Amino acid sequence: MELYFMGTNAGVPSLERNVTSVALRLLDERRSFWLFDCGEGTQHQILRSPLKLSKLEYIFITHLHGDHLFGLPGLISSRAYQGGDTPLTIFGPVGLKKYITTVLEISESRINYKMDIVEHDGGTVFEDDSFRVESALLDHRIPSYGYRVMEKDQPGKLDIALLKQYGISPGPLYGKLKRGESVQAPNERTVTAAEVLGESKKGRIVTILGDTRPCPTALELATDANVLVHESTFLHELADIAHKYHHSTAKQAAETAKKARVKELFLTHFSSRYKNNEQMLQIQHEAEETFPGAKLALEHVLYPIERPLNS
């Protein structure tokens, strides 16, 4: 599991940074990647990345401002030309379906793969055997959502040597034990999962927020996350402007991370007024005063999301 940022600027692209988009790469977990927001130019950024559109499985849109979704029509249209023929599901706020279908209809774009658009107003938006994704409304000028991606705990390794002693061979019984069920050995002895399974691997939590002022919902979504991706549009000296335009400062992002007890904080969605390295380091240092180790999200850098050592 890794994060890969393809856009970290707020509002408009600059020579230094593209507008918002971040991928959650899940090659080991499900041989795919998920995309969070799709600002203009995202498909160009993917071409410069280790990602392949054919592996794109889900897109999660935080809100309907242009710098977060103007890249969708081009990416959707181009996906098939890059080998993408598997289903694609796009999640986002009410209005997303109208936007996508209108653009595709007017441009007479033809999509030769199954595409679903799922509009939501928060709650559990996705769940399968491996992951659950929850969403909640943040505090922005228009409905803006954060996403909490929760990897489910994985069962521990089977004690193969002990299973051999019990006379249990690889096959369906292994699967039952992995699922936590008890089985019967050839000698009619009942073998429980607890006897032969090692300690389970605790799932990781990744929280990716849309544009927002500091708010209780952001804190709830981020609680105990392994990674928090939080907008940091301004330095705190511009806190009044941040509040007026429903954004956050680097200090406020760090305060949320600290209160939520997150393990790692990535700052993103920077105002285009911050251009040079010195200004960007100011943003990082401001956050580090409250949350040591806070990182600036850099585009085209792969950030592994490690499991805790005790999991």
Side-chain angles (χ1 to χ4, degrees), residues 206-273:
V206 179
T207 298
I208 299 174
L209 302 182
D211 293 2
T212 186
R213 290 170 175 167
C215 64
T217 310
L219 186 61
E220 292 169 13
L221 288 169
T223 297
D224 295 324
N226 295 83
V227 170
L228 169 63
V229 178
H230 198 301
E231 70 127 291
S232 306
T233 310
F234 300 104
L235 286 166
H236 203 67
E237 64 190 15
L238 297 178
D240 290 344
I241 293 177
H243 183 81
K244 178 180 178 181
Y245 291 104
H246 294 78
H247 287 295
S248 297
T249 67
K251 179 180 179 181
Q252 290 167 340
E255 288 171 345
T256 294
K258 183 178 181 179
K259 291 175 185 175
R261 303 181 300 276
V262 306
K263 308 295 188 299
E264 197 169 13
L265 170 65
F266 286 93
L267 308 170
T268 189
H269 200 266
F270 310 115
S271 168
S272 57
R273 72 182 62 210

Side-chain angles (χ1 to χ4, degrees), residues 4 18 34 76 96 101 155 185 187 191 200 213 243 256 262 272 286 295 297:
Y4 191 89
N18 197 45
W34 298 356
I76 291 169
L96 179 64
T101 56
N187 64 2
V191 179
S200 63
R213 290 170 175 167
H243 183 81
T256 294
V262 306
S272 57
E286 180 174 281
K295 296 181 177 66

Side-chain angles (χ1 to χ4, degrees), residues 1-219:
M1 183 185 288
E2 299 127 331
L3 282 176
Y4 191 89
F5 292 87
M6 289 173 290
T8 59
N9 228 37
V12 295
S14 68
L15 292 174
E16 296 80 20
R17 301 182 296 273
N18 197 45
V19 283
T20 301
S21 185
V22 56
L24 180 62
R25 195 166 81 152
L26 301 164
L27 290 188
D28 291 339
E29 293 77 13
R30 53 200 299 139
R31 302 195 62 78
S32 70
F33 77 93
W34 298 356
L35 193 63
F36 292 80
D37 285 334
C38 186
E40 182 182 359
T42 296
Q43 66 169 316
H44 296 277
Q45 295 288 73
I46 289 176
L47 291 174
R48 301 184 184 99
S49 79
L51 306 171
K52 295 184 182 300
L53 272 180
S54 59
K55 299 293 185 182
L56 176 59
E57 187 179 15
Y58 298 112
I59 301 175
F60 299 85
I61 299 297
T62 62
H63 64 295
L64 304 185
H65 275 156
D67 58 323
H68 294 256
L69 88 166
F70 278 171
L72 268 179
L75 182 144
I76 291 169
S77 300
S78 298
R79 182 173 181 263
Y81 292 101
Q82 298 185 37
D85 55 7
T86 54
L88 174 66
T89 304
I90 307 172
F91 301 89
V94 174
L96 179 64
K97 187 170 187 176
K98 181 180 179 182
Y99 168 73
I100 293 174
T101 56
T102 300
V103 174
L104 295 182
E105 286 174 7
I106 291 174
S107 63
E108 297 187 8
S109 298
R110 291 176 175 81
I111 308 302
N112 61 355
Y113 54 85
K114 186 176 186 296
M115 182 177 71
D116 290 322
I117 303 168
V118 180
E119 296 184 335
H120 67 82
D121 57 3
T124 299
V125 299
F126 170 79
E127 185 168 15
D128 66 7
D129 292 340
S130 303
F131 286 90
R132 184 166 83 253
V133 181
E134 294 181 353
S135 182
L137 188 64
L138 302 169
D139 182 359
H140 194 48
R141 290 193 294 118
I142 65 172
S144 178
Y145 291 86
Y147 292 98
R148 179 179 172 93
V149 180
M150 291 168 284
E151 180 187 32
K152 296 183 178 180
D153 294 350
Q154 298 177 7
K157 291 183 178 180
L158 289 169
D159 188 331
I160 304 301
L162 187 56
L163 287 169
K164 283 183 178 179
Q165 289 181 28
Y166 292 152
I168 299 176
S169 303
L173 295 184
Y174 274 30
K176 287 187 175 182
L177 289 165
K178 276 276 192 180
R179 293 192 295 271
E181 301 173 23
S182 297
V183 302
Q184 199 155 32
N187 64 2
E188 299 188 354
R189 182 188 191 283
T190 297
V191 179
T192 66
E195 291 179 73
V196 295
L197 271 181
E199 188 175 352
S200 63
K201 295 180 180 179
K202 188 169 179 58
R204 291 158 287 186
I205 299 172
V206 179
T207 298
I208 299 174
L209 302 182
D211 293 2
T212 186
R213 290 170 175 167
C215 64
T217 310
L219 186 61

